[in-house]
Structures are given as C-alpha cells and as structure tokens.
Amino acid sequence: MSDRSIVVISAGLSQPSSSRLLADRLADATVTELAARGITAHVETVELRDVAHEVVNMTLSGFASGPLKDVIEKVTAADGVIAVTPIFSASYSGLFKSFMDILDKDALVGRPVLVGATGGTGRHSLALEYALRPLFAYLRADVAGTAVFAATDDWADGGGDDVNPLPNRIRRAGRELAEMVADREPSAPVGLYDAVPSFDQLLGGA
C-alpha cells in the first residue's frame, strides 16, 4: 500500500469555522477514496489564521519565518492540496489571497488541487468559477473539475440542493481529487535547503 500526502488549507477566520468544517469533510472524502485504491493518505491541516501575522511579515520582508516556513514546505511537498476559503465581497478572503501571493510561482505547478468555499447564501457560489479557479489556473495547478460551495442552508438541512445535495458534491469532489493524486507519482520530499533563496534570487538576478 503506497502513501500520499494531502495538505488542507483553511482560510476560515473564526474558530470553529464553516470553512474548516467543509475542508475536513473534503479531506475525509479524499482519504476514503484513496483507501479504496489501496493508497494511504496522510492529511495535514493548515489554519491560515494561525500564521496570519507571519503571512503579512513575509509580504513585507520577502522571507518566511517561524511556522509559516513549515507551512510553505508542506504545501510545496504535498501530493494533493485542498484549499477552502470564505467568500467576502464576492471573492476569496484577503488572508487566503495573501497566502497564495507569497507562494513561489512554481509551487503548485501540476499539483492536484481541490477548491472549496463557504458563504452565507448560494449567491456566492459563482466565486468558485470566476475567482478561485482562475487563481489556481494562473498558478498552473491541476484543479479538480468539481469545486464545492457550502452555504449556511447546506449545513442546516443536510444538503440544501435537493438535486445535488452537499454530501454528494463532497463525495464526488473527493473522488476526483483521489483519482488525480493516485495517477501521479508521489512527490519527492522537500530538501533541507530547498526553501533557501539562491544568491541570484537575493541579488534580484543581477
């Protein structure tokens, strides 16, 4: 039985948050589908609220410090990524975007990514297609075809949409990510000095 690593990124601001709840459900679905394929998945969950100050510091300084460095290394080394953000003002949260901005431009190239979002009403669901999917396409990630949005009503009545309830969407998305992860060779472990900038990078390529 082979192993894969799944990193879950939750940009929820409260604790607990609906974004974390959706992220956990998506991770469980992915792990179940990978197990059905004879693959053991190791899941690590990152709460961006816990490294929010470090994200701001790196935005200003260009250097990752403390726990943020470990978070970036985990994301870079993952076989698959699940990214979930709350929707504010018709787009992803500022914290979520700030974290994506500090990742190396090649960090997610070809990496299977499952995106999800939460919001007060289903009106925000289109943000998955006009905001999140283009963001990860720009980063050249391999984004799963099914993106999952969960509105407040989805948690209250077990699914909201009578035709395609939330649990069904979660299972389908987990299956798609599991298939993508299973079809790839396991990611190589991150080297001790992989995250250290080169002299060229420090000098701006001069």
Side-chain angles (χ1 to χ4, degrees), residues 13-26:
L13 301 182
S14 60
Q15 195 173 28
S17 69
S18 57
S19 292
R20 174 61 188 270
L21 179 58
L22 177 59
D24 288 344
R25 297 283 179 86
L26 292 170

Side-chain angles (χ1 to χ4, degrees), residues 87 90 121-134 149:
I87 299 299
T121 71
R123 294 195 306 273
H124 297 298
S125 62
L126 287 177
L128 285 167
E129 302 304 326
Y130 66 68
L132 274 105
R133 196 178 293 278
F149 180 85

Side-chain angles (χ1 to χ4, degrees), residues 76-146:
T76 302
D79 293 298
V81 174
I82 297 171
V84 182
T85 177
I87 299 299
F88 299 127
S89 301
S91 190
Y92 34 66
S93 72
L95 176 58
F96 183 83
K97 182 58 164 60
S98 295
F99 177 73
M100 292 301 158
D101 285 345
I102 65 174
L103 292 179
D104 184 86
K105 62 182 179 62
D106 297 324
L108 296 177
V109 173
R111 198 170 311 280
V113 173
L114 170 59
V115 295
T118 59
T121 71
R123 294 195 306 273
H124 297 298
S125 62
L126 287 177
L128 285 167
E129 302 304 326
Y130 66 68
L132 274 105
R133 196 178 293 278
L135 171 64
F136 285 99
Y138 173 79
L139 294 172
R140 292 173 289 166
D142 187 7
V143 185
T146 297

Side-chain angles (χ1 to χ4, degrees), residues 48-58:
L48 292 185
R49 68 188 301 276
D50 294 336
V51 291
H53 293 293
E54 288 83 357
V55 169
V56 173
N57 290 340
M58 184 172 177

Side-chain angles (χ1 to χ4, degrees), residues 1-2 13 15 23 34 37 43 54 69 79 81 83 92 103 131 138 144-145 156 179 187 190 194 204:
M1 182 174 284
S2 57
L13 301 182
Q15 195 173 28
L34 283 170
R37 292 162 175 76
V43 177
E54 288 83 357
K69 182 178 179 181
D79 293 298
V81 174
Y92 34 66
L103 292 179
Y138 173 79
E179 290 171 350
S187 296
V190 176
D194 287 356

Side-chain angles (χ1 to χ4, degrees), residues 1-12:
M1 182 174 284
S2 57
D3 293 349
R4 297 291 194 280
S5 63
I6 304 294
V7 171
V8 179
I9 301 170
S10 171

